[in-house]
Amino acid sequence: MEKTIKIYEGKAKIVFETVAPDLLIQYFKDDATAFDATKKGTIKDKGIMNNKISSRLFQILEKEGIPTHFVKILNEREMLIKRVVIIPVEVTIRNIVAGGMSRALGLEEGLKLDCPVLEYHLKNDSLHDPLINEYHIKALKIASLTEIETIKNYSFKVNEILTRFFSSINLDLIDFKLEFGRFKDEEIILADEISPDTCRLWEKTTGKRLDKDRFRRDLGNIEEAYQEVLRRVSK
Ligand SMILES: Nc1ncnc2c1ncn2[C@@H]1O[C@H](COP(=O)(O)OP(=O)(O)OP(=O)(O)O)[C@@H](O)[C@H]1O
Ligand SMILES: [Mg+2]
């Protein structure tokens, strides 16, 4: 499958059309951003690693009954995906307090939550992706009630599947962000990527962070951390 027109260039990926109207190619870049893109940099071979990690995780999820946009991996940096209309909401699930939740609520990082917490953030960079709830989504016609229920059910199920999977490779899934879209105007499917850019992963035995926090907080050994995640998910 060949790329035709570039339709979007984001912070981490470039999206291209293909000759097939329902299929796109997402190209993974090495660019890294944090804190509303006020911090910019590159992580060597991140695109290659995230493409591979994301492909593997989408395959695991598909096998467990979660519909995703993943079609196949094309080469080191490119993934063939189903074209969706993205629902402009980022869904975050948190199992352990970290990052934004720690700052917003004054809670210590590492605090285990009694049950997973689901958050919605409006995808709007200029408004700094504000926290919203289901009433905003419904009142602003961002998604229907049925769609919200589907998104919520899938998100919690993804959490169960990925928590179990990462646990088997000695990683704690602290929190993660998902994006969903409408495929052919009807079916809700999981889109975008699942990688150390979008998940917090802490090594169970040492608490070592194997995710983008190494870049956000200048912890060093960033490439090595992504490589390690890739090595473990590929086992
Ligand atoms: N299957 C899909 N069909 C159409 N668009 C998709 C699909 N999966 C992901 N996208 C969108 O493609 C873009 C990928 O680029 P990237 O993740 O780099 O964007 P970004 O810089 O994070 O910005 P933003 O997500 O705010 O647009 C995102 O806008 C994402 O929502
Ligand atoms: Mg993105």
Side-chain angles (χ1 to χ4, degrees), residues 26 28 45-60 70 72-79 165 193-196 226-227 229-231 233-234:
Q26 64 179 354
F28 286 76
D45 295 339
K46 173 171 80 82
I48 298 174
M49 299 187 277
N50 280 0
N51 187 28
K52 291 181 183 169
I53 294 167
S54 213
S55 294
R56 172 89 172 101
L57 296 176
F58 280 134
Q59 283 173 60
I60 291 171
F70 178 78
K72 65 175 178 184
I73 190 159
L74 293 172
N75 53 53
E76 280 197 322
R77 287 181 186 271
E78 291 175 351
M79 185 194 288
F165 172 69
E193 68 176 278
I194 311 176
S195 71
Y226 281 64
Q227 284 293 359
V229 173
L230 173 59
R231 193 183 66 78
V233 304
S234 310

Side-chain angles (χ1 to χ4, degrees), residues 49-195:
M49 299 187 277
N50 280 0
N51 187 28
K52 291 181 183 169
I53 294 167
S54 213
S55 294
R56 172 89 172 101
L57 296 176
F58 280 134
Q59 283 173 60
I60 291 171
L61 292 172
E62 283 279 353
K63 231 172 137 184
E64 300 273 348
I66 306 286
T68 80
H69 71 163
F70 178 78
V71 178
K72 65 175 178 184
I73 190 159
L74 293 172
N75 53 53
E76 280 197 322
R77 287 181 186 271
E78 291 175 351
M79 185 194 288
L80 188 65
I81 56 173
K82 293 177 183 168
R83 180 182 205 141
V84 298
V85 174
I86 290 284
I87 294 171
V89 171
E90 297 190 347
V91 182
T92 301
I93 297 234
R94 302 175 178 278
N95 297 305
I96 291 176
V97 172
M101 184 178 198
S102 152
R103 285 193 299 276
L105 302 182
L107 297 168
E108 204 173 315
E109 284 207 311
L111 176 74
K112 168 105 180 66
L113 294 160
D114 254 12
C115 62
V117 170
L118 180 144
E119 288 173 5
Y120 301 108
H121 289 261
L122 185 68
K123 262 173 74 72
N124 186 318
D125 283 346
S126 56
L127 297 176
H128 314 291
D129 296 341
L131 183 71
I132 55 170
N133 65 37
E134 289 179 5
Y135 291 90
H136 297 90
I137 298 177
K138 188 166 172 277
L140 298 171
K141 294 196 175 74
I142 296 167
S144 72
L145 259 188
T146 338
E147 287 175 330
I148 300 170
E149 283 307 310
T150 304
I151 287 171
K152 202 162 44 178
N153 288 338
Y154 285 158
S155 300
F156 282 120
K157 198 165 165 214
V158 168
N159 187 41
E160 280 172 27
I161 298 163
L162 293 186
T163 296
R164 206 179 330 118
F165 172 69
F166 282 122
S167 188
S168 75
I169 51 173
N170 196 34
L171 296 172
D172 273 326
L173 179 59
I174 306 303
D175 56 36
F176 60 96
K177 180 269 287 183
L178 300 175
E179 290 182 28
F180 291 88
R182 288 183 199 101
F183 180 55
K184 295 188 169 171
D185 251 7
E186 41 183 45
E187 195 195 359
I188 294 284
I189 65 175
L190 183 60
D192 206 51
E193 68 176 278
I194 311 176
S195 71

